């Protein structure tokens, strides 16, 4: 006999996950929360500052796949760097599991547009920088290329190595900064399927930055649209209803 869930209802309000159990509402802490985040960059040879992001507020719950789109220069990549802990916001704060992000962590994997593999290391050693490489080689179908060097790989294979490296430490959050942008359409479609498999099978929460709206809609459970610089959130929309209708 199948055991019924102790939770009668589940709902989202303003990014907060609520579960009702025996008449008591519980609030689950978001995996990630950005509170009034703004970022400026100082211009070289100038006292002026370039405002890139302003007043960014959103939460991400475990298991979401958040797609972020917006015009060039609106701060999408900067937003991922803040979440990764590689740069700090000028104002506001970024919280991961309730703690302020102050430095990078293997719990937050980051995949750049370029694979950024170390050219003097083999495929297995590039993956092994972040953890065990055997599982990554197997899941990304790279076993036959474990001893190859980056210059011997195709663009698609290099992208798979970068994904395997980001997943090696088993992160809870995977940040994807247009990792498929430079690939041809056939290979891009194939790796989009690979990203969906990773999200479903690995149980990792994903945030994807992309210029491709179709890609954002196909992969995401939620869509965030940023306006032109300084980037601010114009729309934050759940895609779950449309996904359930298609299913």
């Amino acid at each position: 006999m199948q055991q019924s869930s102790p939770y009668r209802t589940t709902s989202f309000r303003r990014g907060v996950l609520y579960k009702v159990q025996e008449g008591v509402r519980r609030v689950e802490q978001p995996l990630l929360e950005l509170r009034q985040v703004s970022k400026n960059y100082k211009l070289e040879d100038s006292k002026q500052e370039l405002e890139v992001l302003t007043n960014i507020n959103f939460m991400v719950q475990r298991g979401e796949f958040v797609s972020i789109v917006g015009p060039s220069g609106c701060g999408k990549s900067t937003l991922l760097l803040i979440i990764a802990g590689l740069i700090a916001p000028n104002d506001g704060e970024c919280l991961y599991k309730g703690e302020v992000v102050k430095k990078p962590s293997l719990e937050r994997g980051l995949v750049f547009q370029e694979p950024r593999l170390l050219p003097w290391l083999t495929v297995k050693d590039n993956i092994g920088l972040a953890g065990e490489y055997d599982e990554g080689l197997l899941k990304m179908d790279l076993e036959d290329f474990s001893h190859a060097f980056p210059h011997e790989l195709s663009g698609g294979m290099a992208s798979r190595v970068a994904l395997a490296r980001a997943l090696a430490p088993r992160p809870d959050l995977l940040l994807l900064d247009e990792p498929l942008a430079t690939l041809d359409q056939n290979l891009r479609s194939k790796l989009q399927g690979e990203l969906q498999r990773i999200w479903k099978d690995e149980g990792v929460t994903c945030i994807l930055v992309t210029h491709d709206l179709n890609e954002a809609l196909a992969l995401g459970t939620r869509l965030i649209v940023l306006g032109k610089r300084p980037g601010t959130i114009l729309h934050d929309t759940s895609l779950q209803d449309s996904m359930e209708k298609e299913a």
Side-chain angles (χ1 to χ4, degrees):
M1 182 176 179
Q2 186 177 2
Q3 186 176 4
S4 61
S5 170
Y7 299 109
R8 295 204 306 272
T9 62
T10 302
S11 63
F12 288 92
R13 292 184 184 176
R14 295 184 180 179
V16 181
L17 178 63
Y18 295 94
K19 289 187 176 181
V20 179
Q21 182 180 28
E22 297 179 354
V24 179
R25 188 174 73 169
R26 294 175 53 199
V27 181
E28 289 200 350
Q29 181 185 80
L31 181 65
L32 179 75
E33 182 178 4
L34 280 82
R35 298 176 179 172
Q36 299 180 332
V37 166
S38 298
K39 181 63 182 177
N40 301 337
Y41 286 116
K42 289 185 177 180
L43 299 176
E44 292 185 10
D45 303 323
S46 173
K47 295 182 180 180
Q48 294 182 332
E49 291 190 348
L50 182 68
E51 191 177 12
V52 180
L53 292 168
T54 182
N55 196 32
I56 299 294
N57 295 277
F58 68 89
M59 300 179 186
V60 177
Q61 301 292 344
R62 290 181 182 274
E64 285 194 279
F65 195 126
V66 180
S67 296
I68 300 177
V69 299
S72 296
C74 72
K76 300 186 299 297
S77 295
T78 296
L79 188 56
L80 290 191
L81 294 177
I82 290 172
I83 295 170
L86 292 172
I87 61 174
N90 293 88
D91 295 299
E93 57 186 5
C94 175
L95 303 176
Y96 177 74
K97 296 182 177 179
E99 300 291 332
V100 176
V101 173
K102 296 181 179 179
K103 61 183 180 179
S105 168
L106 291 177
E107 291 189 20
R108 301 185 302 277
L110 176 60
V111 182
F112 296 94
Q113 182 172 330
E114 309 84 17
R116 301 196 182 186
L117 305 179
L118 298 182
W120 58 87
L121 294 182
T122 62
V123 165
K124 70 180 182 66
D125 290 334
N126 264 286
I127 298 172
L129 286 171
E132 294 295 327
Y133 58 77
D134 290 332
E135 187 175 3
L137 290 172
L138 177 63
K139 289 186 175 181
M140 293 295 172
D141 195 22
L142 291 165
E143 291 177 297
D144 293 339
F145 301 92
S146 62
H147 296 286
F149 287 90
H151 72 272
E152 299 174 309
L153 304 176
S154 67
M157 285 170 28
S159 294
R160 296 208 306 272
V161 175
L163 279 171
R165 181 178 60 189
L167 290 168
R170 298 186 177 277
D172 288 331
L173 180 61
L174 185 61
L175 307 171
L176 302 157
D177 190 4
E178 298 191 77
L180 313 181
T182 61
L183 305 179
D184 64 66
Q185 187 57 49
N186 289 336
L187 188 54
R188 186 168 184 160
S189 296
K190 182 178 180 180
L191 287 184
Q192 284 174 355
E194 191 63 32
L195 285 177
Q196 279 197 320
R197 183 198 66 76
I198 289 169
W199 171 61
K200 292 177 180 178
D201 295 351
E202 304 292 332
V204 62
T205 303
C206 296
I207 301 179
L208 169 71
V209 159
T210 179
H211 279 94
D212 188 334
L213 182 58
N214 290 329
E215 180 174 83
L217 295 174
L219 294 175
T221 60
R222 179 176 164 198
L223 179 67
I224 292 178
V225 180
L226 298 184
K228 64 182 181 178
R229 189 179 70 239
T232 189
I233 296 177
L234 299 181
H235 303 284
D236 186 346
T237 306
S238 172
L239 302 175
Q240 290 280 33
D241 291 341
S242 60
M243 292 174 67
E244 290 172 0
K245 288 179 181 178
E246 291 179 3

